[in-house]
Amino acid sequence: MKAREFDRRFDEGKDISKHLDLSRARRPKQEQKRVNVDFPEWMIHLLDKEARRLGVPRQSIIKVWVAERLEKVA
C-alpha cells in the first residue's frame, strides 16, 4: 500500500492496524526503567489501603502521585 492510500484510509477513520508493525512501536519519552525504592512499613500500609479503595495496584498510586508532584514543581 502506498503512503497516500494509507493516509486516506487513516483520515477516513478506517482500521489501518493490520498494515502496521507494532512489534517495534515505542512511545516517545515513555520508556520504562525499573527502580527500587524502600518505603517505611507505615507508608506501604497507607499506599495499599488507598490502592484497595481505588481498585488499582500500589505501583499505580505511586506513579500517579510522583507524576503529579513532578508536574507541580516543573
Side-chain angles (χ1 to χ4, degrees):
M1 172 186 308
K2 295 189 177 190
R4 189 171 284 186
E5 175 66 13
F6 183 87
D7 291 344
R8 183 185 64 75
R9 288 184 185 192
F10 177 81
D11 291 341
E12 292 174 355
K14 294 184 179 174
D15 182 13
I16 56 166
S17 60
K18 64 183 177 185
H19 302 288
L20 301 173
D21 177 10
L22 299 177
S23 66
R24 296 180 56 182
R26 301 287 180 260
R27 294 176 65 197
K29 298 187 180 183
Q30 297 294 319
E31 291 83 11
Q32 301 288 312
K33 183 173 182 176
R34 182 170 304 277
V35 297
N36 294 319
V37 180
D38 296 326
F39 291 104
E41 287 187 27
W42 67 268
M43 280 189 190
I44 293 173
H45 172 73
L46 293 175
L47 285 166
D48 288 345
K49 183 177 176 182
E50 183 66 5
R52 277 192 307 276
R53 185 181 76 78
L54 296 172
V56 299
R58 177 194 308 153
Q59 186 178 44
S60 296
I61 296 289
I62 295 169
K63 285 181 178 181
V64 168
W65 287 353
V66 169
E68 287 174 351
R69 179 62 182 198
L70 291 172
E71 287 175 1
K72 184 178 180 180
V73 299

